[in-house]
Every structure is written in C-alpha cells, then in structure tokens.
C-alpha cells in the first residue's frame, strides 16, 4: 500500500492490522480481545496492559 497515493502530505493517521505487514517496520501485537485508544500517537488506554500516561 502506498500511503502517498491515499492521503495528502498534511494528513496523519494509523494503520491497524491483525497481522504484521512488513518485517522492516516496528509492529506491536495487540493481545487477544485488547482494545487500545491512541491519543496524539501514543497509547492512552488499553484494557489489557498497564499504561504510564
């Protein structure tokens, strides 16, 4: 997927996938049944892990 074709340079976003998409990028797996809320690019809440906000 070429994100440059999908968004303008001033747009930001996240990719959430159920499986690792590449080996070159840092990917962190969700726990089974985990809900994660992101705020400004950082995890703000998880129902499965301790988060130091």
């Amino acid at each position: 997927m070429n994100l440059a074709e999908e968004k303008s340079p001033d747009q930001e976003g996240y990719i959430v996938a159920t499986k690792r998409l590449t080996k070159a990028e840092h990917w962190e797996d969700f726990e089974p049944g985990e809900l994660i809320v992101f705020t400004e690019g950082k995890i703000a809440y998880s129902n499965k892990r301790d988060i130091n906000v």
Side-chain angles (χ1 to χ4, degrees), residues 1-52:
M1 171 183 274
N2 183 349
L3 293 178
E5 295 175 0
E6 304 295 328
K7 65 176 194 62
S8 63
D10 62 325
Q11 289 180 310
E12 295 180 0
Y14 300 94
I15 297 174
V16 178
T18 58
K19 295 183 180 179
R20 177 182 290 264
L21 299 177
T22 67
K23 292 183 180 180
E25 303 291 333
H26 172 75
W27 289 90
E28 189 170 328
D29 294 336
F30 281 42
E31 296 293 325
E34 183 174 19
L35 169 69
I36 298 179
V37 177
F38 294 91
T39 301
E40 297 182 0
K42 296 182 180 162
I43 297 175
Y45 170 82
S46 167
N47 65 332
K48 298 280 186 166
R49 59 182 89 183
D50 291 328
I51 304 300
N52 296 328

